[in-house]
Every structure is written in structure tokens, then in C-alpha cells.
Amino acid sequence: RNKRNGVQKIYSKSNEAFHRIDMAKIRPELQDDDLRKLQSSAEAAFYRACRDQLPDGMLVVHSAAWTYRTSDGTPSEGEADFTIFDPKGGFVTVEVKGGGIEYDGTLGKWSSTDRYGNKREIKDPFRQATREKHCVLDQLKGSQEWRQTMGSDRILAGHAVFFPDIDDIKKLVGPNAPVELVGGRKNLKDVASWLATVASFWVGKTNFTPIQDRGVRIAERIFCSSISVSALLAADIEREEQIRIEVTM
């Protein structure tokens, strides 16, 4: 069995996990009240689909953010709507856009129209997803723990775009937007199968090494680590002493 067929088989089994108690790990953990407060109802819909359908072992990171310098010293900052890690594959960045979508080929501009008819210009979602993919790769390869543990093995990395409010996604297909990398409202019912299609597209004839559970754990530490920093006791004492001096003067 070659790796391409291996990945396809692994992903095709994901439907069997729907009835298991253990589901994918998703960060941050948002409750329904939190999701209702999200500015993007489209992202909330995709979040619920991932939370409720993807199998155990996968990691879904919502709004992973970064600020760093690239290898040539250029500052880079950004955020990915969703980054999904699979231990039996690699990762996929997914840009999610809500509302009605339009692309003006003459001006080269994208726009979104909400339920109230309000239209606004948006960035090219496919270019966004592509850039996010490379930034996530930079973060992984820039991690000392990743390099020491995972080595220099080729990582399966892909990107895709999801439109939860659109039924006919074929109208959005183009040279830089193959149909395999475009998701719509119908795919919310089986997001695992859609991700299987995305993964199969990126596998192609590529030789890669699955990131395995250890790779997923490192990715979680890179993008989702908790932070707790205690104030120095000396700083508290100095501050209190300064207040005492000001009071007695």
C-alpha cells in the first residue's frame, strides 16, 4: 500500500468515528454561548462541524495567530481561521468566508454580502489560505522541539477555502481554486469527507512522513500553550515601598 492510498483509506474511515465518544481536540474550547458571540457566524458553523464530526486524534486550532521574522528578516504577522492537524497525514489551513461571495474579474476584487444586503470588499480567500499554510509551516520548522523530534521529514501541508452560506460552489472554482479545495454549505453535514477530498488533492504523488500523535502534540504546544506568569515578589515590595514613601512625604 503506497502512502497516497494509505491516506485515502485513513481519511475514508473517519465516518466510522462519528459514533465514538472521543472526538477531535479543538482549541480553544468554545461553548455554544461563546460561538454565538463570534463576529463570524460562518466560522461558528464550521467550528461546530469540526467539533461534532472529526475523529479522535485530530487537532483543530481556531484563530491560530503569529508574529515572527522570516528567514530573510521580513516581519510577518497573521492569523488562520482554522488549522487542522491529522496524525496520519499533516495539516490543512482553512479560510472561512460567510455570506454571498462575488469576484470581479475586471478589477481582481472579492466581496461579501451579508444577510442584510450589506456588501464589503474582502481579501482573496485563496491567497489568504495559501499564505497561512506557509506561515504555519514556518512556525513548525522554526520550532526547536519540532526540528529535534520530527527532523527534516517532508510535511504534508495543504490549504482550502470554505463557504458555509453557499450551496453552488462550482461558480467559485477557478485556476487557483480547484473544486477539491472549495467547501460549501452541503459539506457541513460531512466535513470529514470534505477534508478527505482536500487531503487527497494535496497528497498527489508526494512522498511525506505522517506527523503522528507526537507531531500533533508538538503543534498543540506551539499554537495553544497556556501561559502563567507570576509577578516578582521584589517588584511588589518595591512598589509598596514607593507608595509608602509618597504617602509619608
Side-chain angles (χ1 to χ4, degrees):
R1 184 178 72 172
N2 62 39
K3 290 184 178 179
R4 179 178 182 180
N5 292 335
V7 169
Q8 289 174 329
K9 184 175 181 180
I10 288 165
Y11 273 88
S12 66
K13 285 185 176 181
S14 60
N15 288 338
E16 300 173 6
F18 287 3
H19 302 291
R20 296 170 53 184
I21 295 176
D22 294 332
M23 303 302 283
K25 182 180 293 185
I26 188 163
R27 295 289 185 268
E29 293 182 354
L30 301 178
Q31 304 303 315
D32 286 334
D33 285 343
D34 301 317
L35 292 173
R36 282 190 286 270
K37 295 175 184 176
L38 284 182
Q39 185 176 2
S40 171
S41 60
E43 291 183 20
F46 190 78
Y47 183 105
R48 291 189 184 96
C50 291
R51 179 195 63 189
D52 299 339
Q53 298 176 27
L54 295 185
D56 183 34
M58 298 182 75
L59 170 67
V60 181
V61 183
H62 176 231
S63 293
W66 51 78
T67 302
Y68 69 104
R69 288 186 179 276
T70 61
S71 57
D72 63 0
T74 303
S76 176
E77 59 180 347
E79 177 182 349
D81 287 344
F82 290 89
T83 308
I84 303 173
F85 296 90
D86 185 340
K88 297 179 177 65
F91 76 87
V92 175
T93 57
V94 182
E95 182 68 19
V96 177
K97 296 296 184 185
I101 302 295
E102 293 181 32
Y103 173 68
D104 187 324
T106 302
L107 300 177
K109 293 183 178 181
W110 290 78
S111 62
S112 172
T113 303
D114 64 22
R115 68 181 72 177
Y116 305 107
N118 299 315
K119 185 176 180 179
R120 64 184 181 89
E121 186 177 332
I122 61 174
K123 295 178 180 179
D124 181 334
F126 295 95
R127 288 187 178 181
Q128 280 186 282
T130 302
R131 181 180 181 277
E132 291 157 5
K133 173 181 65 179
H134 292 296
C135 287
V136 171
L137 269 173
D138 284 347
Q139 292 299 299
L140 295 177
K141 294 180 178 180
S143 163
Q144 183 177 0
E145 182 182 11
W146 183 276
R147 294 195 304 271
Q148 291 178 343
T149 305
M150 308 301 293
S152 58
D153 292 335
R154 185 180 180 87
I155 305 170
L156 178 61
H159 68 268
V161 180
F162 205 95
F163 303 95
D165 300 323
I166 294 180
D167 281 324
D168 188 5
I169 60 172
K170 292 182 180 179
K171 294 181 179 180
L172 297 169
V173 172
N176 71 328
V179 66
E180 295 91 342
L181 304 186
V182 184
R185 189 171 68 88
K186 295 178 182 178
N187 300 114
L188 284 173
K189 298 177 181 179
D190 192 355
V191 72
S193 292
W194 177 72
L195 285 171
T197 301
V198 173
S200 295
F201 176 88
W202 288 110
V203 169
K205 297 181 180 180
T206 302
N207 290 320
F208 70 94
T209 301
I211 62 174
Q212 305 179 24
D213 291 334
R214 59 180 180 174
V216 174
R217 289 194 296 269
I218 296 173
E220 183 178 7
R221 285 193 287 272
I222 292 173
F223 293 103
C224 315
S225 291
S226 298
I227 300 173
S228 178
V229 182
S230 300
L232 291 173
L233 178 60
D236 289 337
I237 294 174
E238 182 179 352
R239 189 158 45 245
E240 291 176 3
E241 178 65 13
Q242 182 62 35
I243 294 173
R244 185 189 67 78
I245 294 173
E246 290 177 356
V247 171
T248 56
M249 287 180 64

